[in-house]
Amino acid sequence: MARILRPFSILPSRVAEGYRRSSAVFSFNHDGLEVARVRNRSRYLPLWHLIFFIYFAMIIRLVVAADIGTAGYEARMQEMREGHTLERLAARVMHMDPVSRQLAVQIRTGLTFINQRILDRRI
């Protein structure tokens, strides 16, 4: 008997909370046949977007620091820290930690070696 009345017992909670949207999307084919598809319940900002942004910021930071050197990079970051709100935010995101600084130095050393020894170019 309890099994029969179970659907009716959740009715007051559904009415109080409001009905959820259906998890199916209905559309029509070219011949007029109705087709139901499962609704994609994705988050507004997926986690991989945040991870990609962090990796992208790290790569840009390393490339710029390797190109202009760590001293020049720190001078530009100091200029950005004294700028407007958006510049201060960018300076916080692009701040060099010791590991990134060491990687930038190693990349710069490697690029200098490649340019001088392999490509016969002077910087």
Side-chain angles (χ1 to χ4, degrees):
M1 185 71 175
R3 222 174 157 169
I4 295 172
L5 296 177
R6 185 168 178 249
F8 295 109
S9 67
I10 62 171
L11 188 61
S13 65
R14 282 194 178 175
V15 171
E17 295 172 5
Y19 288 101
R20 285 182 277 162
R21 292 174 39 193
S22 174
S23 63
V25 177
F26 297 97
S27 62
F28 294 96
N29 277 347
H30 64 281
D31 58 355
L33 183 65
E34 187 176 19
V35 178
R37 293 179 287 121
V38 176
R39 183 184 307 257
N40 185 8
R41 297 236 179 213
S42 63
R43 289 178 270 172
Y44 178 71
L45 185 65
L47 184 62
W48 71 270
H49 284 146
L50 295 173
I51 293 171
F52 178 77
F53 174 74
I54 291 169
Y55 282 142
F56 189 69
M58 287 174 56
I59 289 172
I60 293 294
R61 179 174 55 191
L62 287 175
V63 168
V64 170
D67 186 40
I68 64 175
T70 55
Y73 186 82
E74 289 299 326
R76 290 188 186 189
M77 287 297 110
Q78 186 60 34
E79 289 176 12
M80 288 178 71
R81 284 186 204 106
E82 297 168 358
H84 297 292
T85 306
L86 188 60
E87 290 176 341
R88 286 189 298 233
L89 181 67
R92 280 193 181 197
V93 171
M94 300 298 282
H95 177 70
M96 286 291 264
D97 55 304
V99 174
S100 298
R101 185 176 289 115
Q102 243 349 79
L103 282 172
V105 168
Q106 294 295 325
I107 291 171
R108 186 169 175 85
T109 305
L111 289 175
T112 304
F113 175 79
I114 288 172
N115 278 325
Q116 289 177 352
R117 302 293 172 111
I118 297 174
L119 300 176
D120 291 327
R121 289 191 281 185
R122 299 290 174 206
I123 298 177

